[in-house]
């Protein structure tokens, strides 16, 4: 499916591979421990769960549209300055800025943290940074 209007959510069993056929594909969401390969994938919703035992492996390019939804689960387990891994991926395209992210799910963290997506060492994370005041004294 290349349309963002579909509601297909894929759960990848351990050891399975979803081959995108060398095409750009859209999924409403993905979870599990399998691998996605051979193409470009856009996801409607990313899941950030600090208690997740494993994350999907996307051996393809993860692409982003204008607004990206990130569902946060188990926010009480978020540590200061913590990185919550969403997936392992080969590359990202059009990584969204903070203003282009919509957070849903457990939003109890919003008063304490700011969040953004970061791609480091082949993994996509949500980085939760403590809110506070910066004072520069001269």
């Amino acid at each position: 499916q290349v349309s963002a209007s579909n509601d297909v959510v894929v759960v990848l069993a351990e050891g399975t591979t979803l081959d995108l056929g060398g095409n750009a594909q859209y999924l409403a969401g993905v979870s599990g421990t399998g691998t996605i390969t051979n193409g470009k994938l856009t996801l409607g919703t990313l899941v950030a769960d600090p208690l997740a035992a494993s994350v999907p492996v996307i051996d393809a390019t993860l692409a982003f549209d204008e607004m990206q939804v990130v569902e946060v689960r188990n926010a009480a387990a978020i540590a200061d300055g913590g990185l919550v891994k969403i997936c392992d991926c080969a590359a990202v395209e059009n990584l969204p800025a903070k203003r282009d992210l919509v957070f849903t799910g457990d939003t109890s963290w919003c008063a304490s943290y700011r969040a953004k997506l970061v791609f480091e060492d082949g993994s996509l994370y949500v980085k939760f940074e403590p809110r506070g005041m910066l004072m520069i004294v001269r």
Side-chain angles (χ1 to χ4, degrees):
Q1 297 266 350
V2 295
S3 170
S5 64
N6 79 63
D7 292 326
V8 176
V9 176
V10 173
V11 179
L12 298 165
E14 185 175 348
T16 61
T17 299
L18 173 61
D19 188 329
L20 301 177
N23 298 305
Q25 302 287 342
Y26 172 89
L27 294 173
V30 66
S31 64
T33 58
T35 301
I36 297 173
T37 188
N38 191 21
K40 185 188 304 185
L41 178 65
T42 302
L43 292 171
T45 301
L46 301 171
V47 176
D49 185 349
L51 300 180
S54 60
V55 296
V57 175
I58 301 172
D59 192 16
T61 299
L62 184 58
F64 296 93
D65 284 333
E66 296 165 8
M67 295 300 287
Q68 180 62 54
V69 176
V70 180
E71 179 184 342
V72 178
R73 298 179 183 165
N74 301 306
I78 296 170
D80 281 352
L83 293 173
V84 176
K85 188 186 279 191
I86 294 174
C87 65
D88 292 321
C89 53
V92 296
E93 185 177 283
N94 301 326
L95 189 66
K98 288 180 192 180
R99 68 180 178 276
D100 297 326
L101 298 173
V102 176
F103 289 95
T104 64
D106 183 350
T107 57
S108 61
W109 60 272
C110 291
S112 302
Y113 299 102
R114 291 183 313 257
K116 64 181 179 180
L117 289 179
V118 295
F119 179 66
E120 295 178 357
D121 301 322
S123 295
L124 181 67
Y125 300 90
V126 176
K127 183 173 186 176
F128 292 92
E129 299 171 323
R131 290 189 181 272
M133 180 172 50
L134 175 64
M135 184 181 293
I136 300 174
V137 179
R138 291 184 110 181

